[in-house]
Amino acid sequence: MRIYSLKKLLFCILSVLFSAYVASEPVTKPSIKDLQSRSFLDDYYSNVVYGYHIITDTPRYAPRYNGGKLSCQNCHLQAGTMKEALPLNVLGMYPKWRAKNGKHNGIGLRIRECFLYSMNGFLPPENAPEVLAIAAYISYLSKGEIIGVAPEGRGVPTLDTTGYDPNPSRGQAIYKAKCAHCHGKDGTGDLLGPPVAGINSYNAGAGMHEIQISAGFIWANMPFGNGKTLSKQQALDVAAYLHIQLRGADPREGKLLKLLEPLGQWLGLLK
Amino acid sequence: MPKLIAEMIPDFSWLKRNLNFRQEFLAAFIGAILTIPQAITFAYLAGLPPEYGLYCAVYTTLIACLFGSSMMVGGPNAAVSMLLGAAVLPFAGTGSPLYINFVLILSFMVGIAELCLWLSRSSRIFQYFSPVLINAITTGVGVLILSYSLDGITGSTGIQVNFFYEKLYIIISGWQGISNYYAFLVGFSTIVTGLIFKKKYPRFYILAALLIGTLVGLLLNGLYGIPNTELDLLGYMPLKMFDFKIIMLDWEYISIYIQLAVSAMIIALIAISQTMIIINELKINANTPIDANKDIYAQGIANISSVFFGAFCGGGSFNRTRLNRTFGSRSKLATILSCFIIIFLVDVFSEIIAYIPMATMSGLLFLVGLEMIKINAFKQALERKSDGISFIITFCVVILINLESGLLIAFILSVLTFVYRISEINIEISENNIDNINKVTIHGCLFFGTFDDLLQIFRDHSECKLQLDLRDISYLGPGPAQLIIQEKKKRASSNYEMTVLPPSQWCAGFPLLLK
């Protein structure tokens, strides 16, 4: 009996040491540039590269389910590799229960809902090649992360209360001063910046529509390249201003108002 | 050689005829409206995004029509699309850029294979396919298409199976887990509408089914919201109609290209055999001479050149050809106009087309599959035993094994049944009991295949004198000639002698042996 448990103990210690060794090794994976220069890509890496292309230029590479002019990279900055800017190395956190749809979400459903809400498009089917490619890219980014543990810099920082309510009119002034030259006067985008309002942007069901999340994103990353230069109150104000802009309806409540969007565009009511 | 060049040049003789422009335009317009859902459905069948079906419906049809000699309309074809999907599926994920690349390369190879068939003047070979067996293959393809459409109608993600009855088992045993009830409602309403309209207004049943299915989908999405119904919609089709697409060839994939080349030959055979059937139908009521070889050339050149516009390969399209005729088109103008009208319509209605549920597309596919199952042809084939058996064998091979083996079996059975039928000899017997002489007249060919029949005749009439009348036979082989000579010698020594009326001078083979 003792010898049996001694063997077991030895085995446990050795396996712990081995996994500690493995975990401490730096994770090697080929860079995207390296993958793009290869002449032959197997099934996994060709999907990784396709997913990378979709994330960086969604209207061009995934036009079928994409509704507006946003690319994934416009919010998941630097193709999902920047900390505190919604990085995409989060495959270890899925599948998980989400309050948004009350279901146990796998990474596939999470990506599909991103197309429906944040891209103001259609819900792709489970086996859509775009969804599989993005899932491959996310798994590529998440290589080396520990399952179940949130990676460092995940999502956006949560701003603590400033003591004052978010003020949209102050937000409008800040927007005109600091954001309009990239994102356009009415928020419908410009050469430099993606649309943050209107039907070509995310719709009212997206995570970015919630003031908490967009304030954290704006405070940490905006103006682009000068993150954390705004005060937290200023970020909340701008987020509140963007929240009240006209954008696509929430698909959960909009009930096909999306059909009227082209009509509204034609009449000049929506941009 | 000049004949080859004459076949290569497009034929503009239809311009000189009196054309009723109003009739042609009407046929073109209605043809375009009815072709758009069919093209998208066949692209879905091939596993491609929907806009590729429209490229095929426009470019392949246009080029095949310009270069062809008959009023046959090329374009997306059900059996060819299914074979394309099945050929490329082992090598790439459905719908991915690599898959599309492989499909286009395969289409190019199919075009080259068809051009090789044209150069070898093989339109004669396709005349040896018995139409009964082509119907059997079409029925088998119809059943396979039905099974393919089932996963879209139940709203489940694509179920990959090796045998079609596996899918039925999965759906029936596990329908609670895999079905999307909203999608099933949409698909069901599409099919029911199609079936109802097929009885009342058979010309527009596809369009009616599409409209009703889309309306039901919109209703469900409007009542319950897209996140709840999870109905797959068609989505925006990024139509790049006038873009020249460059196909990437890679040395790394060379082994895949070789396997695709094998599939290309088989797809070319099936496409051309369907083309031949349509041409034979057209020859019956054509007012201009139809050159079958020129049409094969047209198909080949259309498949090769339209690949550069993103179109996968097509074959002859029964529906569109019949449609043109039904709506009174008398020349190729209707087809050419309809290609341009398709481009215009899809551009205008792209926002609305995005809302078509994929369950409706699957429902349309189900209706197309139902139409391909030819029960009447089966009943007709059962009237002759050999036809019935070959029909059943071909049908089972197509369903249970695969389409390529079905084609091979069909060809072999066609030739065998033809030989069997030709080798039947007709025997007239007149008995004369007074003189005990039986006169046996033989019509047909006496060759090695009919040896047994000849022996049977001699055995049946061994108790009487025999007069063998061979004046009406068309061929006499050496074996039966030897048999007749031996039998005559044998009978001469006994009481039952045999006299032979020799064959006429038109008899082929070895009639002189009987002198």
Side-chain angles (χ1 to χ4, degrees):
Chain A
M1 195 64 163
R2 244 189 176 183
I3 301 173
Y4 179 68
S5 59
L6 190 63
K7 263 197 201 164
K8 221 174 161 185
L9 186 64
L10 206 60
F11 181 70
C12 288
I13 295 175
L14 279 177
S15 60
V16 163
L17 286 174
F18 181 68
S19 38
Y21 165 70
V22 165
S24 69
E25 267 188 347
V27 173
T28 50
K29 56 188 178 191
S31 72
I32 291 285
K33 254 211 190 56
D34 179 33
L35 286 175
Q36 280 173 322
S37 66
R38 285 191 199 171
S39 60
F40 175 74
L41 290 170
D42 64 355
D43 201 18
Y44 173 65
Y45 281 121
S46 67
N47 270 312
V48 168
V49 173
Y50 183 34
Y52 172 76
H53 284 141
I54 294 178
I55 298 229
T56 49
D57 194 356
T58 315
R60 186 167 157 211
Y61 286 95
R64 190 169 173 188
Y65 306 107
N66 188 37
K69 296 207 182 88
L70 281 181
S71 291
C72 309
Q73 186 174 235
N74 294 138
C75 295
H76 299 275
L77 294 179
Q78 288 177 9
T81 52
M82 186 162 161
K83 296 199 189 347
E84 291 191 338
L86 306 162
L88 291 175
N89 54 348
V90 291
L91 189 60
M93 306 299 295
Y94 286 90
K96 62 169 185 165
W97 184 84
R98 287 173 70 225
K100 188 160 188 178
N101 49 19
K103 290 185 210 174
H104 199 224
N105 285 247
I107 191 69
L109 183 56
R110 184 66 186 86
I111 297 170
R112 294 162 66 209
E113 289 207 338
C114 239
F115 272 104
L116 178 63
Y117 299 118
S118 307
M119 315 304 286
N120 198 20
F122 294 112
L123 191 71
E126 288 170 349
N127 57 354
E130 293 90 349
V131 171
L132 298 174
I134 296 177
Y137 179 67
I138 292 180
S139 81
Y140 162 82
L141 286 181
S142 316
K143 190 173 175 189
E145 306 291 343
I146 301 176
I147 293 180
V149 171
E152 191 199 323
R154 185 203 174 184
V156 291
T158 314
L159 302 179
D160 34 344
T161 40
T162 53
Y164 295 98
D165 283 338
N167 188 335
S169 48
R170 262 210 312 259
Q172 185 180 28
I174 302 169
Y175 181 85
K176 283 211 173 100
K178 299 199 181 208
C179 320
H181 55 266
C182 282
H183 287 290
K185 267 193 311 186
D186 43 11
T188 51
D190 209 344
L191 282 173
L192 293 167
V196 290
I199 62 168
N200 288 323
S201 182
Y202 51 88
N203 61 30
M208 204 49 118
H209 185 66
E210 295 172 34
I211 297 183
Q212 175 112 333
I213 296 180
S214 62
F217 180 81
I218 294 170
W219 177 78
N221 302 299
M222 290 289 136
F224 191 55
N226 294 334
K228 300 187 181 158
T229 52
L230 295 169
S231 76
K232 294 188 180 162
Q233 184 60 46
Q234 283 178 316
L236 279 170
D237 294 338
V238 177
Y241 173 65
L242 289 180
H243 184 85
I244 61 174
Q245 295 306 302
L246 197 62
R247 60 179 75 257
D250 188 345
R252 293 170 291 179
E253 294 154 19
K255 309 288 192 215
L256 285 189
L257 276 180
K258 193 170 163 44
L259 264 179
L260 296 175
E261 279 172 14
L263 183 66
Q265 214 174 8
W266 183 63
L267 286 174
L269 299 171
L270 286 173
K271 290 200 224 310
Chain B
M1 192 59 188
K3 196 169 171 218
L4 278 181
I5 297 182
E7 284 175 5
M8 280 168 70
I9 301 174
D11 161 41
F12 289 108
S13 64
W14 51 273
L15 277 173
K16 299 179 192 132
R17 265 178 261 145
N18 293 339
L19 295 169
N20 184 351
F21 280 110
R22 198 163 151 265
Q23 196 103 351
E24 304 282 335
F25 187 79
L26 183 72
F29 190 73
I30 299 181
I33 292 184
L34 292 174
T35 307
I36 293 175
Q38 193 192 41
I40 299 179
T41 312
F42 289 156
Y44 171 58
L45 187 58
L48 292 168
E51 62 267 16
Y52 286 88
L54 292 169
Y55 299 153
C56 184
V58 169
Y59 287 107
T60 312
T61 309
L62 194 62
I63 300 178
C65 192
L66 281 175
F67 282 89
S69 72
S70 66
M71 273 182 49
M72 186 199 72
V73 182
N77 180 300
V80 168
S81 305
M82 205 165 76
L83 279 175
L84 275 179
V88 179
L89 197 60
F91 304 121
T94 312
S96 59
L98 195 61
Y99 184 95
I100 298 172
N101 204 24
F102 283 153
V103 167
L104 293 178
I105 292 176
L106 179 58
S107 306
F108 188 83
M109 288 189 212
V110 168
I112 293 192
E114 287 176 350
L115 284 182
C116 291
L117 284 176
W118 164 68
L119 277 176
S120 57
R121 328 301 288 162
S122 56
S123 61
R124 280 203 69 95
I125 298 186
F126 295 99
Q127 292 173 3
Y128 297 137
F129 268 95
S130 124
V132 164
L133 295 182
I134 298 284
N135 280 335
I137 294 181
T138 314
T139 311
V141 170
V143 169
L144 289 174
I145 290 181
L146 278 184
S147 115
Y148 184 89
S149 69
L150 276 179
D151 54 0
I153 295 173
T154 54
S156 42
T157 4
I159 308 174
Q160 307 256 20
V161 290
N162 287 325
F163 301 110
F164 76 103
Y165 44 83
E166 272 185 61
K167 185 177 285 192
L168 279 177
Y169 175 73
I170 293 174
I171 289 178
I172 294 176
S173 65
W175 61 273
Q176 283 167 319
I178 61 172
S179 321
N180 181 349
Y181 303 127
Y182 304 99
F184 183 72
L185 193 59
V186 171
F188 184 72
S189 59
T190 313
I191 295 173
V192 164
T193 315
L195 291 174
I196 294 176
F197 269 75
K198 206 169 176 185
K199 289 226 164 33
K200 286 193 179 179
Y201 307 104
R203 290 199 275 187
F204 294 104
Y205 77 102
I206 290 258
L207 198 61
L210 177 69
L211 283 173
I212 300 286
T214 315
L215 282 175
V216 171
L218 282 177
L219 191 72
L220 287 175
N221 272 338
L223 283 176
Y224 298 104
I226 294 183
N228 288 330
T229 63
E230 283 200 43
L231 269 179
D232 292 339
L233 301 177
L234 196 67
Y236 299 109
M237 289 192 291
L239 272 179
K240 301 196 182 79
M241 273 290 180
F242 304 109
D243 273 8
F244 205 68
K245 286 157 188 72
I246 306 172
I247 319 283
M248 294 294 184
L249 284 175
D250 226 328
W251 278 111
E252 304 279 351
Y253 297 120
I254 191 82
S255 58
I256 299 180
Y257 295 155
I258 293 176
Q259 294 190 50
L260 289 181
V262 174
S263 311
M265 311 250 276
I266 296 168
I267 297 178
L269 281 174
I270 290 188
I272 296 292
S273 56
Q274 300 206 303
T275 308
M276 288 291 119
I277 295 173
I278 302 179
I279 288 182
N280 285 338
E281 247 183 60
L282 283 174
K283 269 185 188 165
I284 298 175
N285 35 10
N287 39 12
T288 48
I290 296 180
D291 188 357
N293 285 317
K294 193 172 167 91
D295 277 313
I296 298 181
Y297 169 76
Q299 290 282 305
I301 207 76
N303 283 335
I304 286 185
S305 33
S306 53
V307 161
F308 295 105
F309 293 98
F312 56 92
C313 63
S317 177
F318 294 92
N319 286 335
R320 276 176 96 172
T321 316
R322 262 183 235 138
L323 221 104
N324 271 346
R325 226 162 7 142
T326 324
F327 285 104
S329 149
R330 293 271 161 264
S331 73
K332 294 195 244 179
L333 185 64
T335 320
I336 296 178
L337 276 179
S338 74
C339 295
F340 292 106
I341 296 179
I342 290 179
I343 301 180
F344 172 72
L345 281 179
V346 176
D347 207 19
V348 164
F349 290 112
S350 59
E351 295 277 343
I352 301 181
I353 290 179
Y355 281 90
I356 299 178
M358 291 307 280
T360 311
M361 283 295 145
S362 303
L364 290 182
L365 204 58
F366 190 90
L367 291 170
V368 164
L370 265 186
E371 202 190 325
M372 287 175 81
I373 296 180
K374 303 198 187 306
I375 306 261
N376 288 337
F378 180 54
K379 285 189 193 151
Q380 231 177 359
L382 281 179
E383 286 166 20
R384 297 189 71 146
K385 198 168 78 170
S386 58
D387 275 346
I389 293 179
S390 7
F391 190 101
I392 293 175
I393 292 178
T394 315
F395 176 68
C396 290
V397 167
V398 168
I399 300 185
L400 297 174
I401 305 182
N402 60 17
L403 194 50
E404 292 109 22
S405 316
L407 193 70
L408 197 62
I409 296 280
F411 186 67
I412 294 176
L413 283 176
S414 292
V415 175
L416 279 181
T417 43
F418 175 74
V419 166
Y420 177 73
R421 222 168 275 157
I422 282 291
S423 68
E424 278 173 350
I425 52 175
N426 288 327
I427 310 171
E428 279 174 30
I429 307 175
S430 55
E431 299 191 5
N432 193 343
N433 287 324
I434 306 171
D435 299 336
N436 203 16
I437 296 182
N438 284 352
K439 184 171 175 203
V440 175
T441 317
I442 301 184
H443 309 274
C445 300
L446 283 179
F447 65 118
F448 56 86
T450 52
F451 212 76
D452 277 346
D453 297 320
L454 204 56
L455 272 178
Q456 191 64 32
I457 296 174
F458 293 149
R459 230 176 278 137
D460 284 342
H461 302 277
S462 51
E463 301 290 315
C464 53
K465 295 187 193 165
L466 187 58
Q467 186 188 50
L468 202 59
D469 187 354
L470 294 179
R471 287 174 296 185
D472 202 22
I473 62 174
S474 43
Y475 176 84
L476 182 64
Q482 278 304 108
L483 182 63
I484 294 173
I485 294 172
Q486 275 183 347
E487 182 74 13
K488 196 165 173 186
K489 278 195 199 141
K490 202 167 73 174
R491 280 179 176 242
S493 52
S494 79
N495 215 5
Y496 308 114
E497 56 184 18
M498 179 166 92
T499 49
V500 177
L501 294 173
S504 70
Q505 54 175 323
W506 312 115
C507 176
F510 304 88
L512 299 173
L513 285 174
L514 286 183
K515 278 281 185 284

